[in-house]
């Protein structure tokens, strides 16, 4: 009975967090397939290293963050977004097309930010984490998180403004 309870709890934890974690990873990497792979790897690492009883959301995001950093270290690559990875075959309405284009524009702009800036904005965008949680996940002080978020927002706004003007 205990095994089934653990599986049910783990399944519920996964269902609650998989989409948000995936969106966080999309903002970090700009790569749909890589984000899916890292999302699955993050849940696997959490289960393997901490067991099914530990369902700590900030820990899950820290594992995902480290997996992204590991990926880029191993592949020694800049995170360039390939727009074809994000296009879907059919577009239903003009509104949907505009939303997708804006999404791609913001993702492309985020890829121009530094890794730290992109990471901190991606964590904040979920709306699930406080500055304190983000500080814990990134290993910097809460005050530093606030400063980095402010600066990253300004920089992102500047990038988007430049894109709009061209």
């Amino acid at each position: 009975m205990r095994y089934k309870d653990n599986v049910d709890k783990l399944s519920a934890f996964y269902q609650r967090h998989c989409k948000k974690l995936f969106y966080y990873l999309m903002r970090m990497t700009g790569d749909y397939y890589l984000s899916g792979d890292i999302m699955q790897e993050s849940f696997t690492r959490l289960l393997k290293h901490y067991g099914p009883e530990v369902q700590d959301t900030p820990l899950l995001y820290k594992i995902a963050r480290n997996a992204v950093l590991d990926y880029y270290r191993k592949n020694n690559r800049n995170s360039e977004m390939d727009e074809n990875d994000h296009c879907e075959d059919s577009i239903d309405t003009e509104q949907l097309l505009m939303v997708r284009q804006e999404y791609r524009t913001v993702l492309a702009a985020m890829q121009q930010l530094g890794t730290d800036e992109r990471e901190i904005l991606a964590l904040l965008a979920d709306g699930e984490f406080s500055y304190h949680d983000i500080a814990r996940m990134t290993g910097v002080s809460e005050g530093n998180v606030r400063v980095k978020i402010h600066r990253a927002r300004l920089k992102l706004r500047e990038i988007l403004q430049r894109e709009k003007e061209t």
Side-chain angles (χ1 to χ4, degrees):
M1 191 69 165
R2 180 171 151 75
Y3 176 76
K4 183 175 178 357
D5 289 342
N6 281 340
V7 170
D8 290 344
K9 286 180 184 176
L10 190 59
S11 177
F13 180 74
Y14 178 84
Q15 292 301 320
R16 272 193 319 274
H17 297 290
C18 67
K19 282 184 182 178
K20 287 183 180 182
L21 181 62
F22 177 78
Y23 295 144
Y24 161 72
L25 290 166
M26 276 292 296
R27 289 185 292 272
M28 286 295 294
T29 67
D31 185 316
Y32 179 86
Y33 298 107
L34 176 61
S35 297
D37 289 347
I38 291 175
M39 180 193 69
Q40 294 300 326
E41 177 66 21
S42 299
F43 279 102
T44 302
R45 286 183 187 181
L46 180 68
L47 177 62
K48 180 180 176 185
H49 295 288
Y50 299 95
E53 299 83 20
V54 175
Q55 297 184 4
D56 184 351
T57 306
L59 177 60
L60 175 65
Y61 277 73
K62 190 168 189 166
I63 291 169
R65 170 187 182 259
N66 290 338
V68 169
L69 295 175
D70 288 347
Y71 173 81
Y72 286 121
R73 266 193 299 267
K74 287 178 185 171
N75 292 293
N76 195 19
R77 111 174 214 233
N78 276 334
S79 60
E80 294 286 327
M81 184 174 81
D82 181 3
E83 282 193 21
N84 295 328
D85 287 346
H86 309 292
C87 295
E88 294 183 15
D89 295 335
S90 63
I91 297 175
D92 299 326
T93 64
E94 185 176 327
Q95 179 65 24
L96 183 58
L97 178 61
M98 288 177 8
V99 168
R100 286 185 180 158
Q101 183 57 43
E102 286 177 21
Y103 180 72
R104 281 191 213 106
T105 301
V106 171
L107 276 178
M110 284 190 72
Q111 297 306 306
Q112 295 178 43
L113 296 173
T115 303
D116 289 347
E117 296 164 325
R118 186 171 56 243
E119 172 190 7
I120 217 153
L121 284 180
L123 286 168
L124 185 68
D126 281 337
E128 184 172 331
F129 301 112
S130 66
Y131 290 129
H132 178 75
D133 291 336
I134 294 170
R136 227 179 85 206
M137 285 185 268
T138 58
V140 297
S141 71
E142 191 173 329
N144 198 354
V145 166
R146 291 178 187 278
V147 169
K148 285 183 176 203
I149 286 171
H150 176 71
R151 289 178 182 166
R153 282 177 173 162
L154 290 176
K155 191 171 180 181
L156 183 62
R157 189 175 297 133
E158 181 182 304
I159 292 167
L160 289 169
Q161 188 62 38
R162 272 195 318 250
E163 291 296 320
K164 191 183 257 187
E165 292 172 358
T166 59

